[in-house]
Amino acid sequence: MNETYRALAEFAQTWGLLYFFGIFLCVLAYALSPRRKKQFDDAARMPLRED
C-alpha cells in the first residue's frame, strides 16, 4: 500500500474519532444544560397543546 495513503488514513481515523467525540460531548452538554430545561419541556408538551 502507498505510504502516503496509510499516513492519511491513520491521521483521519485518529483525529476524526477525536473530532466526533468532541461534537458528541458538545451535543450532550447542550441537551443536559439546566438553562435549556424550560425550552425542552415546552417543546415536549407542544404536541399535547390544543390551539
Side-chain angles (χ1 to χ4, degrees):
M1 219 184 260
N2 189 348
E3 191 63 34
T4 304
Y5 172 79
R6 187 176 306 181
L8 287 174
E10 184 177 327
F11 175 81
Q13 290 171 358
T14 302
W15 292 106
L17 174 65
L18 293 175
Y19 173 76
F20 283 114
F21 186 68
I23 295 294
F24 171 76
L25 290 178
C26 290
V27 169
L28 190 64
Y30 173 79
L32 298 178
S33 172
R35 291 187 291 168
R36 306 263 186 240
K37 181 169 176 34
K38 183 181 180 323
Q39 179 183 0
F40 289 145
D41 285 344
D42 290 344
R45 289 190 188 95
M46 195 179 297
L48 304 175
R49 288 189 201 140
E50 291 187 32
D51 291 329

